Amino acid sequence: MGRVRLAEKNIAFGYIGQAATSLMSFVLRTIFIRNLSESLLGINSTYSNVLSILSMAELGIGTALNFALYKPVAENDTEKIKSYMQMYKICYRVIACVVAAIGLVLVPFLPRLVKNPGVSVFQLDLFYLIFLFNTVSSYFVAYKYSLCNAQQKNYIQTNINTVTKIIVDVAQIVVIIVTKNFLFYLVTDMIIELAQKIFVSWYLNKLYPYLKEKNVKPLSKEESGQIWTKTKALVLHKVGDVARLQTDSLIISSFIEVSVAGFVDNYNLIINAVANFVNVIFNNVISGFGNLIATESRDKQFQLFKVYRFFAVWLYGFIVTGFFVLLTPLIRLWLGDSWVLPMSVIGLILTDLYFKGERTVLSNYKTAAGVFEPDRYLAIIQGVVNLVLSIWLVQVIGLAGIYVGTVISGLIANVTKPFIIYRVCFDRKASGYFIDSVKYLAVVVLCTGLCQVIANHVIANLSIGTFLLMVILITLIYNGIFLVLFGRSGEAQYLFGLVRQRLKKG
């Protein structure tokens, strides 16, 4: 299949998987809240973040190796693929041992990380060890997916994860209703996930039988050296990203209360469900961009980058406008007024979400191009800024202070990464990028303000009917304004052309 056809297939399965898993997560969360305590929801959220931080031990090796696989896959060089995968396998087994060791060292410190947990220290440790086991065991299988993804067959991983997620959620729903026991809830997930990993290992070995062959030629010093050069740069990216993106829940549970982490996690569940639905498109074209960069001119790459960026701003702007107006009403309809967060916190979270959309475009293109070294210290700076500001401000202005740190640290990348990408990838100046950024942001702010004014009248008396009416109005107003202002642009016309071409093919 060609790049576009494979991307379409990945996106189609990605949408199906995201829709199914989001629905199941929503149902599971509702049943969890109605049957288990707020503190257990907070513990679940906090431990997920702790294990995300521990996953930092991967340190970008996977990303560097994925990039290295693009060329041998494009050339169908099986022997070279075997060599890279052998290196990948050894690295990930070492990483699994490192994560396990660091994870066990953290056990005595758990009571300090979880304020007012509502359970005994023994239970706190036991819950954590189950989370740790799930994370460590994943490293023995995860590396095999890299070959599927390098071949632009991301749908294989998507489909396996979707089926597993549905089975886990259904089983956990039954366990919660029948037992109302958080330990049984975690054990259920552990058993099913372990069965999935065993199946994946067998299935991918069958799909790529040469992965089991013993006659593997080691990579040359030059080839392995290139990987380690990129990995060293990615280490700094990874450490900084973890410090910026994975610490909010820990700061909340340590400085405020663990149950508040659960409150925030309800908002994140909704935001991430929608954002992940959009990211299906953006994440599934990374391997396509890798192929594009290896085969097309810089002018062609630049044209498609601008289309990619325009589409991202359009969609993320729509999401942020909708959430700014409707997120709190949705929480009120779903869980009640007692679960609502202050508007200042929501505004900051959504501000970061919008700029995160722009960063997603920049980061994904950099990853596809293998450009990791020029901004290797940037993520560290972001992480330090986030931690310092968040820990200081949470003690001054409370929960909102954490997200002030998140927004400010994120904007550092929005300002610096365009310079790097335009210079290294396109040999152009980035001034046009920032002019477009101001233009797009102004339109999003205009749409959000207009929709909020209308919503103040439409949903004064909140109901499902008025909520749905406002969804329709926001969709029409935002997209109508965007089409009027940008519909004649080259980027929009390119997208419309793709749609027309796809409709003709049926």
Side-chain angles (χ1 to χ4, degrees):
M1 296 184 185
R3 280 194 304 269
V4 174
R5 183 70 187 92
L6 282 167
E8 287 176 349
K9 189 171 185 179
N10 290 332
I11 290 168
F13 280 111
Y15 272 147
I16 295 170
Q18 188 60 44
T21 56
S22 295
L23 177 62
M24 291 306 303
S25 295
F26 183 83
V27 173
L28 177 60
R29 177 60 58 87
T30 303
I31 292 172
F32 190 112
I33 289 171
R34 291 179 180 176
N35 289 274
L36 298 174
S37 68
E38 296 173 5
S39 61
L40 289 176
L41 180 62
I43 290 171
N44 195 70
S45 173
T46 301
Y47 280 178
S48 296
N49 276 271
V50 170
L51 271 300
S52 294
I53 293 172
L54 282 182
S55 295
M56 182 179 68
E58 193 264 355
L59 292 178
I61 293 173
T63 305
L65 278 162
N66 280 345
F67 173 75
L69 279 171
Y70 289 141
K71 185 176 180 181
V73 165
E75 296 174 351
N76 200 27
D77 187 346
T78 301
E79 292 304 314
K80 192 65 66 180
I81 291 172
K82 285 164 55 179
S83 300
Y84 279 115
M85 292 300 290
Q86 180 71 11
M87 181 181 183
Y88 209 165
K89 177 181 179 180
I90 294 170
C91 288
Y92 263 48
R93 287 185 174 177
V94 172
I95 289 166
C97 295
V98 171
V99 171
I102 297 174
L104 291 173
V105 168
L106 287 178
V107 171
F109 301 97
L110 293 177
R112 297 185 180 182
L113 298 177
V114 183
K115 190 174 181 179
N116 299 329
V119 297
S120 68
V121 173
F122 173 76
Q123 290 174 304
L124 209 58
D125 293 345
L126 182 59
F127 299 157
Y128 170 77
L129 290 173
I130 294 173
F131 275 88
L132 181 61
F133 175 81
N134 288 341
T135 299
V136 171
S137 58
S138 67
Y139 285 108
F140 291 93
V141 178
Y143 75 95
K144 293 185 179 181
Y145 281 128
S146 63
L147 184 51
C148 305
N149 297 338
Q151 292 180 332
Q152 291 183 256
K153 296 180 180 179
N154 309 61
Y155 60 86
I156 293 176
Q157 183 174 3
T158 298
N159 292 346
I160 291 172
N161 288 342
T162 298
V163 172
T164 304
K165 175 66 175 172
I166 292 172
I167 294 173
V168 168
D169 285 356
V170 170
Q172 287 184 315
I173 287 170
V174 173
V175 167
I176 290 175
I177 293 173
V178 173
T179 70
K180 294 181 171 55
N181 188 294
F182 186 59
L183 176 60
F184 292 164
Y185 166 89
L186 295 180
V187 170
T188 300
D189 176 51
M190 181 182 70
I191 292 172
I192 297 174
E193 291 282 357
L194 182 60
Q196 182 243 46
K197 289 160 190 168
I198 294 171
F199 166 78
V200 167
S201 183
W202 169 82
Y203 175 74
L204 294 181
N205 280 343
K206 186 176 180 181
L207 189 63
Y208 306 109
Y210 53 82
L211 293 181
K212 296 187 293 181
E213 294 178 8
K214 303 298 182 182
N215 57 329
V216 179
K217 184 180 179 181
L219 294 171
S220 67
K221 288 185 178 180
E222 181 181 358
E223 289 166 334
S224 59
Q226 289 175 349
I227 291 174
W228 291 121
T229 297
K230 294 186 181 299
T231 298
K232 288 174 186 176
L234 283 164
V235 166
L236 300 174
H237 285 282
K238 191 78 172 181
V239 172
D241 285 346
V242 166
R244 202 189 81 77
L245 301 174
Q246 306 294 342
T247 55
D248 288 350
S249 183
L250 272 179
I251 295 172
I252 292 170
S253 65
S254 300
F255 285 88
I256 303 177
E257 189 171 301
V258 71
S259 60
V260 177
F263 278 57
V264 174
D265 203 44
N266 291 330
Y267 280 80
N268 287 335
L269 176 70
I270 298 170
I271 292 171
N272 290 338
V274 176
N276 289 341
F277 202 79
V278 172
N279 282 339
V280 166
I281 298 174
F282 302 119
N283 293 338
N284 276 302
V285 298
I286 294 178
S287 52
F289 267 124
N291 184 275
L292 174 79
I293 291 165
T295 58
E296 301 286 357
S297 68
R298 282 192 170 188
D299 286 341
K300 179 70 171 179
Q301 295 170 34
F302 181 65
Q303 290 171 8
L304 290 180
F305 171 81
K306 289 187 69 177
V307 173
Y308 185 52
R309 188 272 179 102
F310 172 76
F311 188 49
V313 170
W314 189 346
L315 284 182
Y316 269 93
F318 180 43
I319 292 170
V320 168
T321 297
F323 276 151
F324 189 87
V325 178
L326 296 176
L327 190 52
T328 291
L330 179 57
I331 292 290
R332 288 171 59 197
L333 286 172
W334 176 30
L335 300 173
D337 291 345
S338 61
W339 290 86
V340 170
L341 292 174
M343 198 61 208
S344 59
V345 174
I346 298 168
L348 287 165
I349 291 173
L350 295 179
T351 299
D352 185 63
L353 177 64
Y354 175 78
F355 289 112
K356 182 180 179 181
E358 288 206 332
R359 291 194 297 273
T360 296
V361 172
L362 297 168
S363 297
N364 284 358
Y365 197 87
K366 271 173 50 354
T367 297
V371 179
F372 307 122
E373 292 89 349
D375 61 343
R376 57 189 179 275
Y377 299 114
L378 178 63
I380 292 290
I381 295 170
Q382 288 182 271
V384 171
V385 169
N386 178 63
L387 285 175
V388 171
L389 286 179
S390 295
I391 292 174
W392 170 48
L393 290 174
V394 72
Q395 299 173 78
V396 177
I397 59 176
L399 185 59
I402 296 173
Y403 296 100
V404 171
T406 302
V407 170
I408 292 175
S409 62
L411 285 172
I412 296 172
N414 288 83
V415 172
T416 55
K417 285 189 177 182
F419 288 107
I420 295 168
I421 290 177
Y422 272 62
R423 176 174 56 81
V424 176
C425 297
F426 307 129
D427 195 25
R428 296 170 182 259
K429 293 182 179 180
S431 54
Y433 180 93
F434 293 106
I435 292 171
D436 287 342
S437 293
V438 172
K439 183 171 57 179
Y440 293 144
L441 180 59
V443 174
V444 172
V445 171
L446 170 67
C447 292
T448 302
L450 180 59
C451 290
Q452 184 62 64
V453 170
I454 296 171
N456 289 340
H457 298 283
V458 174
I459 57 177
N461 296 313
L462 181 60
S463 67
I464 295 176
T466 56
F467 181 88
L468 293 176
L469 174 60
M470 202 59 222
V471 170
I472 295 171
L473 289 175
I474 290 172
T475 302
L476 294 174
I477 292 168
Y478 178 88
N479 291 292
I481 292 174
F482 221 85
L483 283 171
V484 168
L485 295 177
F486 303 117
R488 295 181 181 275
S489 68
E491 293 84 359
Q493 290 301 311
Y494 182 90
L495 289 173
F496 298 154
L498 285 180
V499 173
R500 286 192 294 268
Q501 190 178 34
R502 190 70 188 91
L503 291 174
K504 285 180 182 178
K505 290 180 179 179

